Amino acid sequence: SRRRHTRLQGDWSSDVCSSDLNVSLNPSLGWFMGESSLLGVQLTINPFGGKTTYEQNGTTYKSDRSNSYNIGLGGYFRHYLKWKELLPFVQIALNGGFSNLKTEGYYYEGSGPTASKTTYNGNSTGGGYLNSTFTVGLTKMINETAGLDFYVGYTYSYNKNTFKQDRKSTRLNSSHLVISYAVFCLKK
């Protein structure tokens, strides 16, 4: 979860408050191909939402709220470099799936007797996404079959959600820092 507060100043002053929550569940299963390469599949379940308000002189004049989810499937390739108890790795991944976006909000226009409030809401249809990810990291082996992953990476993400008003939403790039737990099933 993240909360931002920005104060803009000039001829007028305005406060922009934004908060969002993003949860990502990515269970995966991989198979070793030789001693140091891993090929796997990954399920993606990613609900997220956010709210942004715009205030001036203590009055909210615009508010946007959105809730969304992504559900998909993908694959990845990871290559380990042997180095004592820490195992450095590089990984590439590609996944895609279905998405849905619901949005609602309002804004005020004008002032005095001509002031008006406009409200809106929408629900996307036929949404989808595609992610391409590159990560580098370390696996710290906890015991013979379990490890803890620490990695950073870059994701190029394309999301498309079409609304009745033919409004489209696209999110592009992000970077991330992740800690995860991995269990290795080794043949004896």
Side-chain angles (χ1 to χ4, degrees):
S1 176
R2 175 178 68 195
R3 181 150 175 84
R4 296 182 306 260
H5 183 80
T6 307
R7 185 158 184 81
L8 305 172
Q9 293 188 349
D11 293 341
W12 52 274
S13 67
S14 179
D15 289 327
V16 180
C17 298
S18 180
S19 62
D20 53 36
L21 177 65
N22 186 349
V23 177
S24 187
L25 302 172
N26 301 301
S28 62
L29 180 62
W31 296 268
F32 276 97
M33 302 168 34
E35 288 189 25
S36 59
S37 296
L38 184 70
L39 190 61
V41 294
Q42 182 176 45
L43 176 66
T44 299
I45 303 169
N46 180 218
F48 56 94
K51 180 180 180 182
T52 303
T53 58
Y54 303 83
E55 300 173 0
Q56 188 172 11
N57 299 325
T59 303
T60 300
Y61 64 89
K62 183 177 180 183
S63 178
D64 296 309
R65 179 186 305 259
S66 64
N67 292 300
S68 183
Y69 68 83
N70 292 335
I71 296 176
L73 190 63
Y76 65 93
F77 175 79
R78 180 183 284 194
H79 183 74
Y80 286 98
L81 306 170
K82 298 261 184 200
W83 190 54
K84 299 188 183 185
E85 292 182 15
L86 291 176
L87 301 172
F89 67 84
V90 295
Q91 178 174 308
I92 56 172
L94 182 65
N95 65 29
F98 303 101
S99 67
N100 182 288
L101 176 63
K102 292 181 182 181
T103 182
E104 65 182 20
Y106 65 87
Y107 59 92
Y108 289 97
E109 294 180 294
S111 61
T114 62
S116 65
K117 179 180 180 181
T118 302
T119 61
Y120 60 89
N121 61 40
N123 189 9
S124 68
T125 58
Y129 74 95
L130 183 64
N131 295 330
S132 175
T133 304
F134 175 77
T135 56
V136 294
L138 293 170
T139 298
K140 167 68 173 140
M141 295 305 293
I142 297 171
N143 61 36
E144 193 175 291
T145 61
L148 190 61
D149 288 346
F150 300 91
Y151 58 92
V152 295
Y154 178 80
T155 299
Y156 174 81
S157 181
Y158 175 78
N159 289 326
K160 181 178 179 183
N161 291 294
T162 304
F163 290 84
K164 290 180 183 175
Q165 300 87 6
D166 200 29
R167 187 172 121 190
K168 294 180 174 59
S169 170
T170 301
R171 183 182 71 181
L172 294 177
N173 305 317
S174 68
S175 57
H176 51 276
L177 172 64
V178 178
I179 299 173
S180 70
Y181 179 77
V183 175
F184 298 90
C185 298
L186 305 174
K187 292 182 180 179
K188 291 204 177 203

